[in-house]
Amino acid sequence: MDDRGGSFVAVRRISQGLDRGNTCHSTSAEFVTGSTAWLGRGLSCVCAQRRESDARPSFDLTPAQEECLQRLQSRIDVQYDSSIPEHQDALRALWNAAFPEEELRGLISEQWKDMGWQGKDPSTDFRGGGFISLENLLFFARNFPKSFQDLLRKREGDRSVWEYPFAVAGVNITFMLIQMLDLEAVKPRTLVGATFLKFLAENESAFDLLYCITFKLMDHQWLSMRASYMDFNTVMKSTRRRLEKELLLEDITRLEDVPSYKLLTR
């Protein structure tokens, strides 16, 4: 809890057992809770602020890169809507992937707190990241189930007494990546953003894959820094700096070449 009247969500660790074209290549606890202000403050601290006076260069795109960027931007623009059956199904699928042994009692349920949502209705936490943040979590669960479960259940490392909330951290990561890669601009204005679009043109799931890499890297940084919930923004900033450096390394031709990709296990 900060002294400015904000609120947060922290997890107290318990036992360890707890589409616009076809150019792109497709691949297939115990909580202290508050309002979504915690999420908003975390995002504003982590991500660079935009100013009208910013004079940043833009990078020209190939037609394929432009088309893939537009498709990704269309995904980013979709807000989570609890009245849409597709969104409901995705949320249920996320629960089933996270806790296959436990039946979900409803889309609004106290059970969601076990995943690290702030309250019993996860839809209130998607405001920071939109529907794509749910898609990112689901991609992570389906493609790297071991890493997903390790992070969800905090299985690895010497954990803090007060841990970051898994699901809310995931929404933060989606938002951070959108800002870091400047994905809402017509053209990328940073070298790291332009570099990412090369990966995206080769793999339409590049953003989802980078999300998985980033989540695992963030947890790695968390453990290395022996962080607790008050350090979350510091850990996110550190994660962003390291990720930017890795994306700009020489001889990186695909996301699987990024050093932190090796942290993931299926």
Side-chain angles (χ1 to χ4, degrees):
M1 186 79 65
D2 70 35
D3 56 9
R4 296 166 296 174
S7 54
F8 59 83
V9 175
V11 181
R12 185 176 183 182
R13 184 168 61 88
I14 52 179
S15 69
Q16 295 280 11
L18 187 115
D19 249 317
R20 295 187 184 182
N22 297 314
T23 309
C24 304
H25 300 290
S26 299
T27 60
S28 319
E30 180 181 348
F31 293 82
V32 178
T33 59
S35 72
T36 52
W38 184 88
L39 176 60
R41 276 208 176 83
L43 297 176
S44 64
C45 291
V46 170
C47 303
Q49 301 298 309
R50 295 181 176 178
R51 297 180 179 89
E52 292 299 324
S53 60
D54 280 352
R56 289 188 282 176
S58 63
F59 295 82
D60 290 332
L61 304 177
T62 66
Q65 290 171 348
E66 184 174 358
E67 188 171 3
C68 290
L69 175 59
Q70 290 173 351
R71 287 169 60 86
L72 180 54
Q73 288 173 334
S74 295
R75 290 179 62 195
I76 292 170
D77 287 341
V78 177
Q79 295 300 308
Y80 181 85
D81 187 338
S82 58
S83 68
I84 298 177
E86 178 188 358
H87 293 195
Q88 297 174 9
D89 291 343
L91 193 55
R92 290 191 187 94
L94 178 62
W95 176 269
N96 292 333
F99 302 108
E101 72 287 351
E102 183 177 350
E103 183 179 357
L104 179 65
R105 292 189 289 273
L107 294 181
I108 298 178
S109 169
E110 294 292 332
Q111 291 172 286
W112 288 108
K113 295 180 182 180
D114 294 338
M115 196 185 293
W117 299 105
Q118 295 193 98
K120 62 183 180 181
D121 184 3
S123 67
T124 61
D125 289 331
F126 287 123
R127 281 176 284 187
F131 183 60
I132 193 171
S133 59
L134 172 54
E135 292 180 312
N136 289 158
L137 281 166
L138 196 51
F139 181 93
F140 192 11
R142 288 171 170 170
N143 290 272
F144 299 96
K146 185 179 186 307
S147 286
F148 179 89
Q149 289 291 335
D150 287 345
L151 298 189
L152 171 66
R153 301 173 188 270
K154 304 293 191 293
R155 287 172 173 164
E156 297 181 338
D158 184 11
R159 313 301 306 199
S160 169
V161 174
W162 292 100
E163 279 286 322
Y164 65 84
F166 173 79
V168 174
V171 177
N172 269 270
I173 289 170
T174 296
F175 189 95
M176 184 269 281
L177 288 175
I178 292 170
Q179 297 297 303
M180 184 188 84
L181 301 172
D182 204 17
L183 293 177
E184 294 178 303
V186 175
K187 293 181 179 180
R189 293 171 292 180
T190 63
L191 183 56
V192 70
T195 299
F196 169 75
L197 289 183
K198 295 178 182 179
F199 302 140
L200 185 65
E202 296 299 324
N203 178 3
E204 193 176 14
S205 297
F207 184 78
D208 303 272
L209 178 57
L210 184 60
Y211 171 89
C212 300
I213 295 170
T214 306
F215 210 146
K216 187 65 176 177
L217 174 60
M218 186 278 290
D219 189 73
H220 180 77
Q221 296 289 91
W222 178 275
L223 292 172
S224 297
M225 297 168 68
R226 302 184 64 84
S228 187
Y229 71 89
M230 291 297 288
D231 304 311
F232 183 78
N233 290 334
T234 301
V235 173
M236 286 289 283
K237 290 176 183 178
S238 174
T239 301
R240 174 171 174 164
R241 287 193 297 269
R242 177 163 171 180
L243 189 63
E244 288 174 328
K245 290 179 181 178
E246 291 193 5
L247 288 172
L248 297 178
L249 289 173
E250 294 183 4
D251 302 324
I252 300 295
T253 60
R254 57 179 191 150
L255 286 177
E256 289 85 350
D257 298 329
V258 172
S260 289
Y261 176 82
K262 297 177 182 178
L263 296 172
L264 289 167
T265 52
R266 296 182 184 273

